[in-house]
Amino acid sequence: MFHSQSFSTTGLLPKGQLRNVITGLLFCTIVDATAQEVRFTVLKGGDPVGSIRAARSISGEHTSYLITSSSVLWMIWKQEVETSMTANFADGYLASCNYKLLLNGKMRDSSRLSGSSSEKWAYVHPDPPVPYRSITQWTTSRLYFEEPIGKASIMVESVLRDCPLRHLGPGIYELTLPNKDRNRYIYKGGRLMEVQAERLLISLVFRRA
């Protein structure tokens, strides 16, 4: 998972500041007395290149997640990668989610799940919306706060699909995405300590700060 000073179209705030304000507003909507937050450092070849912030809020039968990341990667040229992901659960089931990925300040990928309890629609850019009929209890957002003991698959917000999850050993799980990319999640005492993201051209580590 990932996430110059130029000005926004409003002419009031630089893009970076505007994005921080928006992220802050999103976080404020899910903060309450039971809010939790964890942070991870993004490493490439052992060097820090970014950070991840994961927040969870529980209020009655509703649980909300906000995961944001920001990284600067050099792959032929400089690439600033930012992501924002939300997931909202009601009575233990996924009610809605939203994912966005910006590359050098421009939208690169996005997905959205919305609708009512009886009819949900899934949108993954650039495809048209399709009915979403799965009953989902686990997504990647939840992995930041809970170990997926006994789970054989996890819904990935960025693609809105269930993806296979393998238990490799005590506290170690590997999630395989539709494009064959792999994320390995490492837990100690039920706490997520590290994510190893294997990609075609790059390998990254997200380490608990």
Side-chain angles (χ1 to χ4, degrees), residues 1-2 40-43 52 140 143-145 171 173-175 182-187 191-199 203-208:
M1 147 128 215
F2 302 109
F40 293 79
T41 301
V42 180
L43 304 169
I52 297 173
T140 54
L143 294 176
Y144 282 88
F145 295 92
Y173 304 82
E174 187 173 78
L175 181 67
R182 298 175 187 275
N183 287 349
R184 185 169 293 183
Y185 297 82
I186 300 174
Y187 295 81
R191 300 170 72 231
L192 180 63
M193 304 304 295
E194 185 172 296
V195 182
Q196 299 169 355
E198 298 293 333
R199 302 294 182 260
S203 296
L204 299 171
V205 172
F206 313 151
R207 186 165 296 156
R208 195 180 188 102

PDB file of all heavy atoms in Angstrom, residues 1-2 40-43 52 140 143-145 171 173-175 182-187 191-199 203-208:
ATOM      1  N   MET A   1       0.843  -1.169   0.000  1.00  0.00           N
ATOM      2  CA  MET A   1       0.000   0.000   0.000  1.00  0.00           C
ATOM      3  C   MET A   1       0.861   1.194   0.000  1.00  0.00           C
ATOM      4  O   MET A   1       1.792   1.266   0.756  1.00  0.00           O
ATOM      5  CB  MET A   1      -0.873  -0.127   1.185  1.00  0.00           C
ATOM      6  CG  MET A   1      -1.300   1.071   1.910  1.00  0.00           C
ATOM      7  SD  MET A   1      -2.941   1.077   2.090  1.00  0.00           S
ATOM      8  CE  MET A   1      -3.475   2.546   2.000  1.00  0.00           C
ATOM      9  N   PHE A   2       0.430   2.417  -0.834  1.00  0.00           N
ATOM     10  CA  PHE A   2       1.146   3.650  -0.838  1.00  0.00           C
ATOM     11  C   PHE A   2       0.205   4.862  -0.857  1.00  0.00           C
ATOM     12  O   PHE A   2      -0.827   4.852  -1.464  1.00  0.00           O
ATOM     13  CB  PHE A   2       2.000   3.808  -2.086  1.00  0.00           C
ATOM     14  CG  PHE A   2       2.978   2.726  -2.264  1.00  0.00           C
ATOM     15  CD1 PHE A   2       2.795   1.816  -3.247  1.00  0.00           C
ATOM     16  CD2 PHE A   2       4.036   2.602  -1.432  1.00  0.00           C
ATOM     17  CE1 PHE A   2       3.681   0.809  -3.414  1.00  0.00           C
ATOM     18  CE2 PHE A   2       4.909   1.598  -1.594  1.00  0.00           C
ATOM     19  CZ  PHE A   2       4.741   0.703  -2.566  1.00  0.00           C
ATOM     20  N   PHE A  40       3.513   3.322  10.528  1.00  0.00           N
ATOM     21  CA  PHE A  40       4.537   2.470   9.959  1.00  0.00           C
ATOM     22  C   PHE A  40       5.482   3.312   9.112  1.00  0.00           C
ATOM     23  O   PHE A  40       5.063   4.288   8.479  1.00  0.00           O
ATOM     24  CB  PHE A  40       3.917   1.376   9.081  1.00  0.00           C
ATOM     25  CG  PHE A  40       3.096   0.373   9.844  1.00  0.00           C
ATOM     26  CD1 PHE A  40       1.811   0.668  10.243  1.00  0.00           C
ATOM     27  CD2 PHE A  40       3.618  -0.867  10.165  1.00  0.00           C
ATOM     28  CE1 PHE A  40       1.051  -0.245  10.954  1.00  0.00           C
ATOM     29  CE2 PHE A  40       2.869  -1.795  10.876  1.00  0.00           C
ATOM     30  CZ  PHE A  40       1.590  -1.482  11.267  1.00  0.00           C
ATOM     31  N   THR A  41       6.750   2.927   9.110  1.00  0.00           N
ATOM     32  CA  THR A  41       7.740   3.550   8.244  1.00  0.00           C
ATOM     33  C   THR A  41       7.907   2.702   6.996  1.00  0.00           C
ATOM     34  O   THR A  41       8.045   1.478   7.083  1.00  0.00           O
ATOM     35  CB  THR A  41       9.094   3.683   8.961  1.00  0.00           C
ATOM     36  OG1 THR A  41       8.929   4.474  10.137  1.00  0.00           O
ATOM     37  CG2 THR A  41      10.129   4.334   8.062  1.00  0.00           C
ATOM     38  N   VAL A  42       7.868   3.329   5.824  1.00  0.00           N
ATOM     39  CA  VAL A  42       8.059   2.626   4.560  1.00  0.00           C
ATOM     40  C   VAL A  42       9.552   2.602   4.248  1.00  0.00           C
ATOM     41  O   VAL A  42      10.204   3.659   4.212  1.00  0.00           O
ATOM     42  CB  VAL A  42       7.285   3.300   3.418  1.00  0.00           C
ATOM     43  CG1 VAL A  42       7.493   2.548   2.110  1.00  0.00           C
ATOM     44  CG2 VAL A  42       5.800   3.383   3.751  1.00  0.00           C
ATOM     45  N   LEU A  43      10.087   1.409   4.018  1.00  0.00           N
ATOM     46  CA  LEU A  43      11.521   1.236   3.761  1.00  0.00           C
ATOM     47  C   LEU A  43      11.745   0.636   2.380  1.00  0.00           C
ATOM     48  O   LEU A  43      11.027  -0.275   1.961  1.00  0.00           O
ATOM     49  CB  LEU A  43      12.152   0.330   4.814  1.00  0.00           C
ATOM     50  CG  LEU A  43      11.986   0.746   6.287  1.00  0.00           C
ATOM     51  CD1 LEU A  43      12.413  -0.383   7.205  1.00  0.00           C
ATOM     52  CD2 LEU A  43      12.793   1.999   6.578  1.00  0.00           C
ATOM     53  N   ILE A  52       3.150   5.409   6.784  1.00  0.00           N
ATOM     54  CA  ILE A  52       1.753   4.984   6.735  1.00  0.00           C
ATOM     55  C   ILE A  52       1.118   5.293   8.079  1.00  0.00           C
ATOM     56  O   ILE A  52       1.722   5.081   9.138  1.00  0.00           O
ATOM     57  CB  ILE A  52       1.630   3.474   6.440  1.00  0.00           C
ATOM     58  CG1 ILE A  52       2.192   3.148   5.060  1.00  0.00           C
ATOM     59  CG2 ILE A  52       0.172   3.015   6.537  1.00  0.00           C
ATOM     60  CD1 ILE A  52       2.255   1.658   4.769  1.00  0.00           C
ATOM     61  N   THR A 140      -8.379  -5.387   3.925  1.00  0.00           N
ATOM     62  CA  THR A 140      -6.984  -5.113   4.279  1.00  0.00           C
ATOM     63  C   THR A 140      -6.872  -4.060   5.386  1.00  0.00           C
ATOM     64  O   THR A 140      -5.908  -4.069   6.153  1.00  0.00           O
ATOM     65  CB  THR A 140      -6.187  -4.651   3.049  1.00  0.00           C
ATOM     66  OG1 THR A 140      -6.846  -3.541   2.443  1.00  0.00           O
ATOM     67  CG2 THR A 140      -6.083  -5.769   2.028  1.00  0.00           C
ATOM     68  N   LEU A 143      -6.530  -5.620   8.719  1.00  0.00           N
ATOM     69  CA  LEU A 143      -5.272  -6.315   8.983  1.00  0.00           C
ATOM     70  C   LEU A 143      -4.303  -5.473   9.803  1.00  0.00           C
ATOM     71  O   LEU A 143      -3.423  -6.008  10.469  1.00  0.00           O
ATOM     72  CB  LEU A 143      -4.603  -6.713   7.664  1.00  0.00           C
ATOM     73  CG  LEU A 143      -5.332  -7.757   6.807  1.00  0.00           C
ATOM     74  CD1 LEU A 143      -4.601  -7.959   5.491  1.00  0.00           C
ATOM     75  CD2 LEU A 143      -5.468  -9.072   7.552  1.00  0.00           C
ATOM     76  N   TYR A 144      -4.450  -4.145   9.767  1.00  0.00           N
ATOM     77  CA  TYR A 144      -3.551  -3.284  10.526  1.00  0.00           C
ATOM     78  C   TYR A 144      -3.800  -3.365  12.031  1.00  0.00           C
ATOM     79  O   TYR A 144      -2.944  -2.961  12.828  1.00  0.00           O
ATOM     80  CB  TYR A 144      -3.699  -1.832  10.066  1.00  0.00           C
ATOM     81  CG  TYR A 144      -2.987  -1.547   8.764  1.00  0.00           C
ATOM     82  CD1 TYR A 144      -3.629  -1.738   7.544  1.00  0.00           C
ATOM     83  CD2 TYR A 144      -1.656  -1.112   8.752  1.00  0.00           C
ATOM     84  CE1 TYR A 144      -2.977  -1.489   6.344  1.00  0.00           C
ATOM     85  CE2 TYR A 144      -1.002  -0.856   7.562  1.00  0.00           C
ATOM     86  CZ  TYR A 144      -1.662  -1.048   6.363  1.00  0.00           C
ATOM     87  OH  TYR A 144      -1.012  -0.808   5.173  1.00  0.00           O
ATOM     88  N   PHE A 145      -4.955  -3.899  12.426  1.00  0.00           N
ATOM     89  CA  PHE A 145      -5.313  -3.905  13.840  1.00  0.00           C
ATOM     90  C   PHE A 145      -5.611  -5.292  14.396  1.00  0.00           C
ATOM     91  O   PHE A 145      -5.674  -5.451  15.612  1.00  0.00           O
ATOM     92  CB  PHE A 145      -6.533  -2.999  14.056  1.00  0.00           C
ATOM     93  CG  PHE A 145      -6.255  -1.557  13.775  1.00  0.00           C
ATOM     94  CD1 PHE A 145      -6.475  -1.028  12.516  1.00  0.00           C
ATOM     95  CD2 PHE A 145      -5.742  -0.735  14.767  1.00  0.00           C
ATOM     96  CE1 PHE A 145      -6.209   0.303  12.247  1.00  0.00           C
ATOM     97  CE2 PHE A 145      -5.468   0.602  14.506  1.00  0.00           C
ATOM     98  CZ  PHE A 145      -5.695   1.121  13.241  1.00  0.00           C
ATOM     99  N   GLY A 171       2.052 -16.302  13.095  1.00  0.00           N
ATOM    100  CA  GLY A 171       1.986 -14.870  12.909  1.00  0.00           C
ATOM    101  C   GLY A 171       2.362 -14.368  11.526  1.00  0.00           C
ATOM    102  O   GLY A 171       2.522 -13.159  11.344  1.00  0.00           O
ATOM    103  N   TYR A 173       1.381 -14.245   7.364  1.00  0.00           N
ATOM    104  CA  TYR A 173       0.325 -14.475   6.381  1.00  0.00           C
ATOM    105  C   TYR A 173       0.718 -13.812   5.061  1.00  0.00           C
ATOM    106  O   TYR A 173       1.303 -12.718   5.055  1.00  0.00           O
ATOM    107  CB  TYR A 173      -1.001 -13.882   6.860  1.00  0.00           C
ATOM    108  CG  TYR A 173      -1.436 -14.395   8.207  1.00  0.00           C
ATOM    109  CD1 TYR A 173      -0.915 -13.849   9.378  1.00  0.00           C
ATOM    110  CD2 TYR A 173      -2.346 -15.443   8.312  1.00  0.00           C
ATOM    111  CE1 TYR A 173      -1.305 -14.321  10.623  1.00  0.00           C
ATOM    112  CE2 TYR A 173      -2.745 -15.917   9.557  1.00  0.00           C
ATOM    113  CZ  TYR A 173      -2.211 -15.358  10.704  1.00  0.00           C
ATOM    114  OH  TYR A 173      -2.597 -15.835  11.931  1.00  0.00           O
ATOM    115  N   GLU A 174       0.383 -14.469   3.953  1.00  0.00           N
ATOM    116  CA  GLU A 174       0.702 -13.920   2.638  1.00  0.00           C
ATOM    117  C   GLU A 174      -0.569 -13.726   1.820  1.00  0.00           C
ATOM    118  O   GLU A 174      -1.332 -14.666   1.605  1.00  0.00           O
ATOM    119  CB  GLU A 174       1.660 -14.842   1.888  1.00  0.00           C
ATOM    120  CG  GLU A 174       2.161 -14.248   0.585  1.00  0.00           C
ATOM    121  CD  GLU A 174       3.238 -15.106  -0.049  1.00  0.00           C
ATOM    122  OE1 GLU A 174       2.881 -16.136  -0.664  1.00  0.00           O
ATOM    123  OE2 GLU A 174       4.433 -14.764   0.077  1.00  0.00           O
ATOM    124  N   LEU A 175      -0.781 -12.489   1.377  1.00  0.00           N
ATOM    125  CA  LEU A 175      -1.946 -12.119   0.576  1.00  0.00           C
ATOM    126  C   LEU A 175      -1.509 -11.964  -0.876  1.00  0.00           C
ATOM    127  O   LEU A 175      -0.566 -11.227  -1.169  1.00  0.00           O
ATOM    128  CB  LEU A 175      -2.526 -10.799   1.090  1.00  0.00           C
ATOM    129  CG  LEU A 175      -3.775 -10.261   0.396  1.00  0.00           C
ATOM    130  CD1 LEU A 175      -4.973 -11.163   0.662  1.00  0.00           C
ATOM    131  CD2 LEU A 175      -4.065  -8.836   0.858  1.00  0.00           C
ATOM    132  N   ARG A 182       2.380  -9.683  -4.097  1.00  0.00           N
ATOM    133  CA  ARG A 182       2.182 -10.343  -2.808  1.00  0.00           C
ATOM    134  C   ARG A 182       2.518  -9.392  -1.659  1.00  0.00           C
ATOM    135  O   ARG A 182       3.483  -8.637  -1.728  1.00  0.00           O
ATOM    136  CB  ARG A 182       3.065 -11.601  -2.703  1.00  0.00           C
ATOM    137  CG  ARG A 182       2.741 -12.651  -3.750  1.00  0.00           C
ATOM    138  CD  ARG A 182       3.717 -13.824  -3.685  1.00  0.00           C
ATOM    139  NE  ARG A 182       3.523 -14.748  -4.775  1.00  0.00           N
ATOM    140  CZ  ARG A 182       2.646 -15.743  -4.780  1.00  0.00           C
ATOM    141  NH1 ARG A 182       1.887 -15.939  -3.714  1.00  0.00           N
ATOM    142  NH2 ARG A 182       2.545 -16.541  -5.819  1.00  0.00           N
ATOM    143  N   ASN A 183       1.721  -9.470  -0.627  1.00  0.00           N
ATOM    144  CA  ASN A 183       1.984  -8.764   0.627  1.00  0.00           C
ATOM    145  C   ASN A 183       2.096  -9.802   1.733  1.00  0.00           C
ATOM    146  O   ASN A 183       1.202 -10.648   1.890  1.00  0.00           O
ATOM    147  CB  ASN A 183       0.858  -7.789   0.973  1.00  0.00           C
ATOM    148  CG  ASN A 183       0.858  -6.558   0.085  1.00  0.00           C
ATOM    149  OD1 ASN A 183       1.789  -6.310  -0.661  1.00  0.00           O
ATOM    150  ND2 ASN A 183      -0.209  -5.791   0.162  1.00  0.00           N
ATOM    151  N   ARG A 184       3.169  -9.718   2.487  1.00  0.00           N
ATOM    152  CA  ARG A 184       3.347 -10.635   3.619  1.00  0.00           C
ATOM    153  C   ARG A 184       3.187  -9.845   4.916  1.00  0.00           C
ATOM    154  O   ARG A 184       3.888  -8.855   5.144  1.00  0.00           O
ATOM    155  CB  ARG A 184       4.717 -11.307   3.548  1.00  0.00           C
ATOM    156  CG  ARG A 184       4.942 -12.367   4.615  1.00  0.00           C
ATOM    157  CD  ARG A 184       6.191 -13.159   4.331  1.00  0.00           C
ATOM    158  NE  ARG A 184       6.045 -13.973   3.120  1.00  0.00           N
ATOM    159  CZ  ARG A 184       6.975 -14.807   2.665  1.00  0.00           C
ATOM    160  NH1 ARG A 184       8.130 -14.931   3.312  1.00  0.00           N
ATOM    161  NH2 ARG A 184       6.759 -15.502   1.566  1.00  0.00           N
ATOM    162  N   TYR A 185       2.260 -10.288   5.767  1.00  0.00           N
ATOM    163  CA  TYR A 185       1.943  -9.618   7.026  1.00  0.00           C
ATOM    164  C   TYR A 185       2.537 -10.407   8.185  1.00  0.00           C
ATOM    165  O   TYR A 185       2.297 -11.626   8.311  1.00  0.00           O
ATOM    166  CB  TYR A 185       0.436  -9.479   7.200  1.00  0.00           C
ATOM    167  CG  TYR A 185      -0.210  -8.612   6.143  1.00  0.00           C
ATOM    168  CD1 TYR A 185      -0.536  -9.127   4.896  1.00  0.00           C
ATOM    169  CD2 TYR A 185      -0.491  -7.272   6.392  1.00  0.00           C
ATOM    170  CE1 TYR A 185      -1.120  -8.332   3.915  1.00  0.00           C
ATOM    171  CE2 TYR A 185      -1.080  -6.466   5.424  1.00  0.00           C
ATOM    172  CZ  TYR A 185      -1.389  -7.009   4.186  1.00  0.00           C
ATOM    173  OH  TYR A 185      -1.967  -6.216   3.223  1.00  0.00           O
ATOM    174  N   ILE A 186       3.287  -9.727   9.051  1.00  0.00           N
ATOM    175  CA  ILE A 186       3.978 -10.388  10.153  1.00  0.00           C
ATOM    176  C   ILE A 186       3.473  -9.817  11.479  1.00  0.00           C
ATOM    177  O   ILE A 186       3.551  -8.599  11.719  1.00  0.00           O
ATOM    178  CB  ILE A 186       5.500 -10.205  10.035  1.00  0.00           C
ATOM    179  CG1 ILE A 186       5.987 -10.810   8.702  1.00  0.00           C
ATOM    180  CG2 ILE A 186       6.213 -10.851  11.215  1.00  0.00           C
ATOM    181  CD1 ILE A 186       7.453 -10.564   8.421  1.00  0.00           C
ATOM    182  N   TYR A 187       2.936 -10.683  12.328  1.00  0.00           N
ATOM    183  CA  TYR A 187       2.356 -10.296  13.620  1.00  0.00           C
ATOM    184  C   TYR A 187       3.174 -10.881  14.772  1.00  0.00           C
ATOM    185  O   TYR A 187       3.736 -11.981  14.652  1.00  0.00           O
ATOM    186  CB  TYR A 187       0.924 -10.808  13.737  1.00  0.00           C
ATOM    187  CG  TYR A 187      -0.036 -10.203  12.742  1.00  0.00           C
ATOM    188  CD1 TYR A 187      -0.107 -10.680  11.432  1.00  0.00           C
ATOM    189  CD2 TYR A 187      -0.894  -9.166  13.110  1.00  0.00           C
ATOM    190  CE1 TYR A 187      -0.985 -10.132  10.510  1.00  0.00           C
ATOM    191  CE2 TYR A 187      -1.778  -8.608  12.203  1.00  0.00           C
ATOM    192  CZ  TYR A 187      -1.814  -9.096  10.905  1.00  0.00           C
ATOM    193  OH  TYR A 187      -2.683  -8.548   9.991  1.00  0.00           O
ATOM    194  N   ARG A 191      -0.207  -8.266  17.212  1.00  0.00           N
ATOM    195  CA  ARG A 191       0.008  -6.909  16.694  1.00  0.00           C
ATOM    196  C   ARG A 191       0.779  -6.966  15.382  1.00  0.00           C
ATOM    197  O   ARG A 191       1.786  -7.660  15.270  1.00  0.00           O
ATOM    198  CB  ARG A 191       0.791  -6.060  17.703  1.00  0.00           C
ATOM    199  CG  ARG A 191       0.099  -5.903  19.049  1.00  0.00           C
ATOM    200  CD  ARG A 191       1.018  -5.269  20.064  1.00  0.00           C
ATOM    201  NE  ARG A 191       1.232  -3.849  19.798  1.00  0.00           N
ATOM    202  CZ  ARG A 191       2.428  -3.277  19.723  1.00  0.00           C
ATOM    203  NH1 ARG A 191       3.531  -4.007  19.855  1.00  0.00           N
ATOM    204  NH2 ARG A 191       2.536  -1.975  19.521  1.00  0.00           N
ATOM    205  N   LEU A 192       0.304  -6.231  14.372  1.00  0.00           N
ATOM    206  CA  LEU A 192       1.014  -6.179  13.105  1.00  0.00           C
ATOM    207  C   LEU A 192       2.307  -5.396  13.288  1.00  0.00           C
ATOM    208  O   LEU A 192       2.296  -4.232  13.690  1.00  0.00           O
ATOM    209  CB  LEU A 192       0.145  -5.501  12.037  1.00  0.00           C
ATOM    210  CG  LEU A 192       0.786  -5.374  10.648  1.00  0.00           C
ATOM    211  CD1 LEU A 192       1.058  -6.746  10.047  1.00  0.00           C
ATOM    212  CD2 LEU A 192      -0.115  -4.553   9.720  1.00  0.00           C
ATOM    213  N   MET A 193       3.442  -6.044  12.982  1.00  0.00           N
ATOM    214  CA  MET A 193       4.740  -5.417  13.154  1.00  0.00           C
ATOM    215  C   MET A 193       5.382  -5.016  11.833  1.00  0.00           C
ATOM    216  O   MET A 193       6.144  -4.049  11.770  1.00  0.00           O
ATOM    217  CB  MET A 193       5.685  -6.366  13.906  1.00  0.00           C
ATOM    218  CG  MET A 193       5.148  -6.834  15.249  1.00  0.00           C
ATOM    219  SD  MET A 193       4.724  -5.482  16.382  1.00  0.00           S
ATOM    220  CE  MET A 193       6.342  -4.763  16.655  1.00  0.00           C
ATOM    221  N   GLU A 194       5.051  -5.763  10.756  1.00  0.00           N
ATOM    222  CA  GLU A 194       5.726  -5.510   9.491  1.00  0.00           C
ATOM    223  C   GLU A 194       4.911  -6.046   8.326  1.00  0.00           C
ATOM    224  O   GLU A 194       4.238  -7.068   8.447  1.00  0.00           O
ATOM    225  CB  GLU A 194       7.116  -6.163   9.509  1.00  0.00           C
ATOM    226  CG  GLU A 194       7.974  -5.886   8.307  1.00  0.00           C
ATOM    227  CD  GLU A 194       9.396  -6.406   8.486  1.00  0.00           C
ATOM    228  OE1 GLU A 194      10.099  -5.889   9.391  1.00  0.00           O
ATOM    229  OE2 GLU A 194       9.793  -7.332   7.758  1.00  0.00           O
ATOM    230  N   VAL A 195       4.964  -5.323   7.204  1.00  0.00           N
ATOM    231  CA  VAL A 195       4.379  -5.787   5.948  1.00  0.00           C
ATOM    232  C   VAL A 195       5.480  -5.784   4.902  1.00  0.00           C
ATOM    233  O   VAL A 195       6.178  -4.774   4.735  1.00  0.00           O
ATOM    234  CB  VAL A 195       3.213  -4.886   5.480  1.00  0.00           C
ATOM    235  CG1 VAL A 195       2.600  -5.451   4.190  1.00  0.00           C
ATOM    236  CG2 VAL A 195       2.153  -4.763   6.560  1.00  0.00           C
ATOM    237  N   GLN A 196       5.653  -6.891   4.218  1.00  0.00           N
ATOM    238  CA  GLN A 196       6.634  -6.993   3.137  1.00  0.00           C
ATOM    239  C   GLN A 196       5.873  -7.019   1.818  1.00  0.00           C
ATOM    240  O   GLN A 196       5.117  -7.945   1.548  1.00  0.00           O
ATOM    241  CB  GLN A 196       7.483  -8.250   3.302  1.00  0.00           C
ATOM    242  CG  GLN A 196       8.268  -8.271   4.598  1.00  0.00           C
ATOM    243  CD  GLN A 196       8.903  -9.619   4.907  1.00  0.00           C
ATOM    244  OE1 GLN A 196       8.683 -10.594   4.194  1.00  0.00           O
ATOM    245  NE2 GLN A 196       9.678  -9.683   5.962  1.00  0.00           N
ATOM    246  N   ALA A 197       6.037  -5.969   1.016  1.00  0.00           N
ATOM    247  CA  ALA A 197       5.305  -5.822  -0.238  1.00  0.00           C
ATOM    248  C   ALA A 197       6.225  -6.164  -1.408  1.00  0.00           C
ATOM    249  O   ALA A 197       7.188  -5.440  -1.680  1.00  0.00           O
ATOM    250  CB  ALA A 197       4.772  -4.402  -0.377  1.00  0.00           C
ATOM    251  N   GLU A 198       5.927  -7.267  -2.085  1.00  0.00           N
ATOM    252  CA  GLU A 198       6.730  -7.714  -3.220  1.00  0.00           C
ATOM    253  C   GLU A 198       6.048  -7.315  -4.517  1.00  0.00           C
ATOM    254  O   GLU A 198       4.927  -7.733  -4.794  1.00  0.00           O
ATOM    255  CB  GLU A 198       6.919  -9.237  -3.166  1.00  0.00           C
ATOM    256  CG  GLU A 198       7.663  -9.740  -1.932  1.00  0.00           C
ATOM    257  CD  GLU A 198       9.118  -9.301  -1.926  1.00  0.00           C
ATOM    258  OE1 GLU A 198       9.679  -9.074  -3.021  1.00  0.00           O
ATOM    259  OE2 GLU A 198       9.694  -9.174  -0.830  1.00  0.00           O
ATOM    260  N   ARG A 199       6.725  -6.485  -5.319  1.00  0.00           N
ATOM    261  CA  ARG A 199       6.206  -6.034  -6.595  1.00  0.00           C
ATOM    262  C   ARG A 199       7.149  -6.457  -7.713  1.00  0.00           C
ATOM    263  O   ARG A 199       8.266  -6.887  -7.462  1.00  0.00           O
ATOM    264  CB  ARG A 199       6.014  -4.513  -6.601  1.00  0.00           C
ATOM    265  CG  ARG A 199       5.087  -4.004  -5.496  1.00  0.00           C
ATOM    266  CD  ARG A 199       3.666  -4.507  -5.717  1.00  0.00           C
ATOM    267  NE  ARG A 199       2.731  -4.007  -4.704  1.00  0.00           N
ATOM    268  CZ  ARG A 199       2.339  -4.717  -3.658  1.00  0.00           C
ATOM    269  NH1 ARG A 199       2.825  -5.948  -3.460  1.00  0.00           N
ATOM    270  NH2 ARG A 199       1.471  -4.217  -2.797  1.00  0.00           N
ATOM    271  N   SER A 203      10.641  -3.875  -4.127  1.00  0.00           N
ATOM    272  CA  SER A 203      10.238  -4.521  -2.880  1.00  0.00           C
ATOM    273  C   SER A 203      10.300  -3.476  -1.768  1.00  0.00           C
ATOM    274  O   SER A 203      11.289  -2.739  -1.653  1.00  0.00           O
ATOM    275  CB  SER A 203      11.157  -5.694  -2.545  1.00  0.00           C
ATOM    276  OG  SER A 203      11.045  -6.714  -3.519  1.00  0.00           O
ATOM    277  N   LEU A 204       9.226  -3.420  -0.968  1.00  0.00           N
ATOM    278  CA  LEU A 204       9.159  -2.457   0.123  1.00  0.00           C
ATOM    279  C   LEU A 204       8.822  -3.157   1.423  1.00  0.00           C
ATOM    280  O   LEU A 204       8.216  -4.241   1.417  1.00  0.00           O
ATOM    281  CB  LEU A 204       8.085  -1.399  -0.167  1.00  0.00           C
ATOM    282  CG  LEU A 204       8.259  -0.538  -1.423  1.00  0.00           C
ATOM    283  CD1 LEU A 204       7.016   0.296  -1.667  1.00  0.00           C
ATOM    284  CD2 LEU A 204       9.475   0.356  -1.292  1.00  0.00           C
ATOM    285  N   VAL A 205       9.195  -2.538   2.524  1.00  0.00           N
ATOM    286  CA  VAL A 205       8.866  -3.043   3.851  1.00  0.00           C
ATOM    287  C   VAL A 205       8.175  -1.917   4.607  1.00  0.00           C
ATOM    288  O   VAL A 205       8.639  -0.777   4.606  1.00  0.00           O
ATOM    289  CB  VAL A 205      10.129  -3.495   4.624  1.00  0.00           C
ATOM    290  CG1 VAL A 205       9.784  -3.823   6.070  1.00  0.00           C
ATOM    291  CG2 VAL A 205      10.763  -4.698   3.939  1.00  0.00           C
ATOM    292  N   PHE A 206       7.026  -2.240   5.226  1.00  0.00           N
ATOM    293  CA  PHE A 206       6.332  -1.294   6.098  1.00  0.00           C
ATOM    294  C   PHE A 206       6.569  -1.769   7.523  1.00  0.00           C
ATOM    295  O   PHE A 206       6.053  -2.811   7.925  1.00  0.00           O
ATOM    296  CB  PHE A 206       4.824  -1.264   5.821  1.00  0.00           C
ATOM    297  CG  PHE A 206       4.449  -1.167   4.356  1.00  0.00           C
ATOM    298  CD1 PHE A 206       3.262  -1.722   3.914  1.00  0.00           C
ATOM    299  CD2 PHE A 206       5.272  -0.534   3.440  1.00  0.00           C
ATOM    300  CE1 PHE A 206       2.905  -1.639   2.586  1.00  0.00           C
ATOM    301  CE2 PHE A 206       4.929  -0.447   2.102  1.00  0.00           C
ATOM    302  CZ  PHE A 206       3.733  -1.004   1.672  1.00  0.00           C
ATOM    303  N   ARG A 207       7.342  -1.024   8.289  1.00  0.00           N
ATOM    304  CA  ARG A 207       7.726  -1.448   9.640  1.00  0.00           C
ATOM    305  C   ARG A 207       7.079  -0.563  10.685  1.00  0.00           C
ATOM    306  O   ARG A 207       7.090   0.661  10.576  1.00  0.00           O
ATOM    307  CB  ARG A 207       9.247  -1.427   9.789  1.00  0.00           C
ATOM    308  CG  ARG A 207       9.785  -1.974  11.090  1.00  0.00           C
ATOM    309  CD  ARG A 207      11.259  -2.240  10.955  1.00  0.00           C
ATOM    310  NE  ARG A 207      11.527  -3.290   9.971  1.00  0.00           N
ATOM    311  CZ  ARG A 207      12.704  -3.412   9.320  1.00  0.00           C
ATOM    312  NH1 ARG A 207      13.678  -2.561   9.535  1.00  0.00           N
ATOM    313  NH2 ARG A 207      12.855  -4.397   8.454  1.00  0.00           N
ATOM    314  N   ARG A 208       6.505  -1.208  11.698  1.00  0.00           N
ATOM    315  CA  ARG A 208       5.814  -0.464  12.766  1.00  0.00           C
ATOM    316  C   ARG A 208       6.762   0.536  13.410  1.00  0.00           C
ATOM    317  O   ARG A 208       7.886   0.191  13.795  1.00  0.00           O
ATOM    318  CB  ARG A 208       5.274  -1.446  13.808  1.00  0.00           C
ATOM    319  CG  ARG A 208       4.237  -0.830  14.747  1.00  0.00           C
ATOM    320  CD  ARG A 208       3.758  -1.867  15.749  1.00  0.00           C
ATOM    321  NE  ARG A 208       2.636  -1.375  16.535  1.00  0.00           N
ATOM    322  CZ  ARG A 208       1.367  -1.702  16.344  1.00  0.00           C
ATOM    323  NH1 ARG A 208       1.059  -2.538  15.371  1.00  0.00           N
ATOM    324  NH2 ARG A 208       0.417  -1.222  17.102  1.00  0.00           N
TER     325      ARG A 208
END
